[in-house]
Amino acid sequence: MARLAQTAGLTDVQQEILSTVRDFVDKEIIPVATELEHRDEYPQAIVDGLKELGLFGLMIPEEYGGLGESLLTYALCVEEIARGWMSVSGIINTHFIVAYMLKQHGTQEQKDHFLPRMAAGDIRGAFSMSEPGLGSDVSAITSKAVKDGDEYVLNGQKMWLTNGGTSSLVAVLVRSDEGHPEGTAPHKSMTTFLVEKEPGFGEVRPGLTIPGKIDKMGYKGVDTTELIMDGLRVPADRVLGGVTGRGFYQMMDGVEVGRVNVAARGCGVAQRAFELGVQYAQQRHTFGKAIAQHQAIQFKLAEMATKVEAAHAMMVNAARKKDSGERNDLEAGMAKYLASEYCKEVVEDAFRIHGGYGFSKEYEIERLYREAPMLLIGEGTAEIQKMIIGRRLLEEYRFQG
Ligand SMILES: Cc1cc2nc3c(=O)[nH]c(=O)nc-3n(C[C@H](O)[C@H](O)[C@H](O)COP(=O)(O)OP(=O)(O)OC[C@H]3O[C@@H](n4cnc5c(N)ncnc54)[C@H](O)[C@@H]3O)c2cc1C
């Protein structure tokens, strides 16, 4: 039925995975998403279903019990899931970034310790860079780790942790001056710590508090929290990769694949908005005909569908580039920027097509309207994407004259 957002050249295995996920989304997510979202309820049954499908281990190598799939397969699954409910894609996104960082940068002991249980969904990951005073400007991080024997003592406050409460492993980026003399560039004195904790709220480990859920306008169901470190002691072997001072690069690598994921979410939400708009436009009649027969509405549908197609193509291109082993910061930045902006526009057009009913909580588009703005901010705002894109273009097209 869906003609839009097709992907050429998929293997049989990829097609089978996607069709299973789409089926799951249609049967288990879409029918309950809006109700759960209005109650801000964690979708436990859906998460259990995703676990059973093996989605928490989709990109984790087979030797660690995962499915060893590509970033493209993962992004296409995320697109399907976000089409059902964006919050569910948020539940797997931070997990996926942490697993990816472990796979790319972890010591052998860290991989052996975490990845098999992450693949099974028994350990779930969150990642934490932002603080109350900073989000875009990661180099301004103030949280600190100080070495004390075989341990580090961490102090500081973190902000906006997606899955902060439900996760049991948080990759936390802090400043660690040890071995990095004064005057070292800020990004060279940052370290990622793998912090294990109990899921839940309050003091979840001595020196580590997750105060509670932040009340958000959308993206409900999934928990977003602060994290307070007050004399938190972390063993030295929980420094990601075993060496301090590499945290900034490790996190940026994780965020780069996270950006493809956010682009995929934008594609999924925009697709759902288009589906809702095109269906409603054929049911609602004004001036003696279905509103879909008014040219102004047809033009809206045409613009929406074109944006859905374009965003999907850019997202697929960015994922394939990373899968080929090439640097994809330019493509991921462009895909994230375009897909999130188009998503907001397509959702707004679908909202307008619904007339007054779009404003009613009984209609799914109301939820999408509150969800789309999150994609403009998460994994770097539009301005930050444009900075990355602009810098990279100037590198590529250096004036030779
Ligand atoms: C629901 C939600 C979930 C999140 N989950 C996580 C998470 O799991 N982990 C995590 O670490 N973070 C998370 N974040 C934080 C998110 O990454 C930041 O909110 C985002 O990076 C923007 O940072 P900020 O909010 O501090 O805005 P600021 O950096 O203060 O930016 C404010 C405005 O200024 C603009 N701006 C900033 N610098 C420049 C510049 N140099 N040039 C031009 N314009 C500029 C920005 O684009 C923006 O419009 C989450 C945020 C939300 C809302």
Side-chain angles (χ1 to χ4, degrees), residues 94 126-137 159-163 216 218-219 224 374 377-384 387:
T94 62
F127 84 98
S128 174
M129 293 194 291
S130 305
E131 295 184 356
L134 64 102
S136 308
D137 186 6
M159 185 74 191
W160 295 119
L161 277 83
T162 302
N163 300 308
K216 301 166 295 197
Y219 201 38
T224 308
M374 151 62 190
I377 306 293
E379 313 289 346
T381 63
E383 288 72 27
I384 297 304
M387 278 164 59

Side-chain angles (χ1 to χ4, degrees), residues 35-215:
E35 210 185 312
L36 289 175
E37 200 266 355
H38 287 163
R39 293 206 299 263
D40 197 3
E41 187 174 317
Y42 190 76
Q44 190 57 53
I46 294 174
V47 170
D48 292 344
L50 295 177
K51 248 169 109 167
E52 241 168 74
L53 291 179
L55 282 189
F56 286 102
L58 195 59
M59 266 190 82
I60 294 177
E62 283 170 307
E63 59 190 292
Y64 299 107
L67 297 177
E69 272 297 326
S70 62
L71 179 60
L72 177 63
T73 313
Y74 183 79
L76 294 174
C77 288
V78 166
E79 182 180 40
E80 292 293 350
I81 292 169
R83 189 184 135 259
W85 184 11
M86 196 183 88
S87 295
V88 178
S89 63
I91 290 172
I92 50 177
N93 180 39
T94 62
H95 176 85
F96 153 73
I97 292 178
V98 176
Y100 173 83
M101 283 166 54
L102 268 161
K103 181 180 81 151
Q104 295 296 110
H105 307 287
T107 63
Q108 192 56 51
E109 185 276 328
Q110 290 168 349
K111 291 181 204 184
D112 292 341
H113 183 74
F114 290 113
L115 287 179
R117 284 180 294 152
M118 290 186 86
D122 294 336
I123 291 185
R124 296 230 302 283
F127 84 98
S128 174
M129 293 194 291
S130 305
E131 295 184 356
L134 64 102
S136 308
D137 186 6
V138 177
S139 65
I141 278 178
T142 58
S143 297
K144 235 180 145 163
V146 175
K147 189 131 200 249
D148 182 21
D150 288 342
E151 294 180 323
Y152 285 85
V153 182
L154 275 58
N155 283 291
Q157 188 175 349
K158 291 291 184 179
M159 185 74 191
W160 295 119
L161 277 83
T162 302
N163 300 308
T166 40
S167 57
S168 41
L169 172 65
V170 189
V172 187
L173 186 64
V174 302
R175 193 168 294 290
S176 59
D177 292 337
E178 172 236 359
H180 313 291
E182 209 153 301
T184 306
H187 54 278
K188 288 191 175 154
S189 59
M190 288 194 198
T191 298
T192 304
F193 284 89
L194 300 166
V195 176
E196 293 168 87
K197 69 173 185 66
E198 287 300 316
F201 300 96
E203 192 168 20
V204 287
R205 168 180 172 166
L208 179 66
T209 302
I210 306 285
K213 287 192 333 186
I214 298 170
D215 198 9

Side-chain angles (χ1 to χ4, degrees), residues 17-35:
I17 293 174
L18 283 173
S19 125
T20 307
V21 172
R22 177 169 265 257
D23 208 41
F24 181 82
V25 168
D26 286 336
K27 290 194 183 126
E28 311 293 336
I29 300 186
I30 290 180
V32 297
T34 300
E35 210 185 312

